[in-house]
Amino acid sequence: MLNLLVITLIISIILILMLLTNFIISKKMNKSREKMSPFECGYDPMSKNRLPFSLSFYLISIIFLIFDVEISLILPMIFLSKYYYYLNYLNMLIIMIILLMGLYMEWKEGALKWFK
């Protein structure tokens, strides 16, 4: 019990020393608006806030999310195919039909067109 207390005390002292060293050594920089703003791809950090963003980026991210979930659903089915042969392929077929219907709907709506 005493050994654990000593180790905890040593680790705490090392942690405090490292934090103090960081605060002493670190150089304070002049904080400009551009450096302090969060970086987001496709946005100008020096412009006004609350500008509307492109709907194409949003739709492509939704499509990516759908196909990412599809991969996480189909990969376990591949590993289980030797146990539940017919049921597994039926589930895969249903998922693929739903995804293809969604892709066809996105295509007809024009979400996949970048330039209009």
Side-chain angles (χ1 to χ4, degrees):
M1 185 69 176
L2 184 66
N3 198 9
L4 182 64
L5 184 65
V6 171
I7 291 173
T8 306
L9 184 66
I10 290 172
I11 290 174
S12 299
I13 291 172
I14 290 173
L15 178 69
I16 290 171
L17 285 174
M18 289 175 71
L19 283 172
L20 286 174
T21 307
N22 181 30
F23 285 124
I24 292 171
I25 293 176
S26 68
K27 183 179 178 183
K28 303 291 182 201
M29 301 293 250
N30 290 335
K31 297 179 181 178
S32 67
R33 181 177 172 199
E34 186 174 350
K35 287 184 180 179
M36 293 303 293
S37 66
F39 175 74
E40 295 183 24
C41 184
Y43 294 104
D44 183 18
M46 300 302 283
S47 66
K48 295 181 181 177
N49 292 337
R50 309 269 189 235
L51 287 177
F53 59 93
S54 175
L55 192 59
S56 298
F57 288 116
Y58 176 73
L59 292 174
I60 292 297
S61 66
I62 294 297
I63 292 170
F64 174 75
L65 181 67
I66 289 171
F67 283 103
D68 193 36
V69 170
E70 173 236 344
I71 293 297
S72 66
L73 287 175
I74 289 182
L75 271 177
M77 288 182 188
I78 292 171
F79 294 121
L80 292 175
S81 65
K82 60 184 170 185
Y83 300 115
Y84 307 107
Y85 187 75
Y86 294 112
L87 184 63
N88 195 13
Y89 283 113
L90 181 66
N91 286 337
M92 273 204 243
L93 182 67
I94 291 170
I95 288 174
M96 289 303 229
I97 288 172
I98 291 171
L99 283 171
L100 286 174
M101 286 176 15
L103 184 64
Y104 179 73
M105 185 185 76
E106 293 286 338
W107 180 36
K108 285 305 227 182
E109 291 290 323
L112 301 177
K113 293 181 183 176
W114 281 93
F115 302 106
K116 294 180 182 178

